[in-house]
Amino acid sequence: MARFHIRRRCPLTAQFWFLGLDARQGDLTLRGFCKTPTPHGSSRYTLDGLSLHSAGLTLLLPGEPLHFNRRTQTFTRGGRTVPATEGRLHLRAALHTHETWIAARHGAAYREGLVALHRPPRPVMGALDPWRAFIGGLPGMPVWGVTVPLQSTAGSGML
């Protein structure tokens, strides 16, 4: 398994941990992601312009696709670096859609249960609060058994 240098406060650190559990438990394929083997690392999962891999992700956008490299935690588009806040802003809707599907399937407290059951590594634990703000900051998104209003992330810089 590849080792990644991850930033503890990046919400995508926790999101990738959850996506890995979703893949192992079959939720990605159940949701409709197409699983394709790759020559390096894990399989690639693709649905509606979002392509996930253990090394990162790609989101199809008008013009150039957005790439996120998990190892370096950098976003690029058309070969140019994209600021993390802008990259995360582009991803929010796609990740919100996935988290809404997961919450509808398993219940609003499901992610909390995964954390309690699997006790994630320290970098993931350090990224949980930023992840909660990132995902929970979208209207109507149930996270950790509550619905967090959009205003909860105002001024926090957690995009």
Side-chain angles (χ1 to χ4, degrees):
M1 176 178 263
R3 294 197 181 264
F4 295 94
H5 302 284
I6 53 180
R7 296 183 185 118
R8 294 175 60 140
R9 303 299 297 168
C10 176
L12 295 179
T13 299
Q15 185 69 59
F16 267 91
W17 185 77
F18 286 128
L19 290 169
L21 291 176
D22 295 347
R24 275 184 259 146
Q25 295 170 357
D27 281 333
L28 292 181
T29 54
L30 191 61
R31 183 169 167 235
F33 277 87
C34 179
K35 181 179 178 180
T36 308
T38 63
H40 304 290
S42 66
S43 295
R44 180 173 314 282
Y45 291 85
T46 306
L47 176 68
D48 296 334
L50 178 63
S51 182
L52 307 169
H53 185 269
S54 63
L57 61 77
T58 299
L59 179 65
L60 297 181
L61 295 173
E64 301 281 344
L66 176 72
H67 301 283
F68 174 72
N69 182 315
R70 189 172 169 205
R71 184 178 308 276
T72 62
Q73 295 209 331
T74 56
F75 289 92
T76 57
R77 192 166 181 204
R80 293 179 306 279
T81 300
V82 173
T85 53
E86 180 183 330
R88 290 182 199 141
L89 182 62
H90 285 297
L91 287 178
R92 279 184 99 186
L95 296 176
H96 176 260
T97 299
H98 180 71
E99 290 303 318
T100 300
W101 186 91
I102 289 291
R105 175 164 169 70
H106 296 287
Y110 177 68
R111 292 300 197 204
E112 179 181 4
L114 289 176
V115 170
L117 179 65
H118 295 286
R119 295 183 358 199
R122 258 187 241 153
V124 173
M125 290 297 288
L128 286 173
D129 282 341
W131 177 82
R132 288 179 189 119
F134 176 66
I135 291 297
L138 294 165
M141 182 62 222
V143 177
W144 307 97
V146 298
T147 300
V148 181
L150 183 59
Q151 302 89 297
S152 69
T153 58
S156 70
M158 286 316 308
L159 284 180

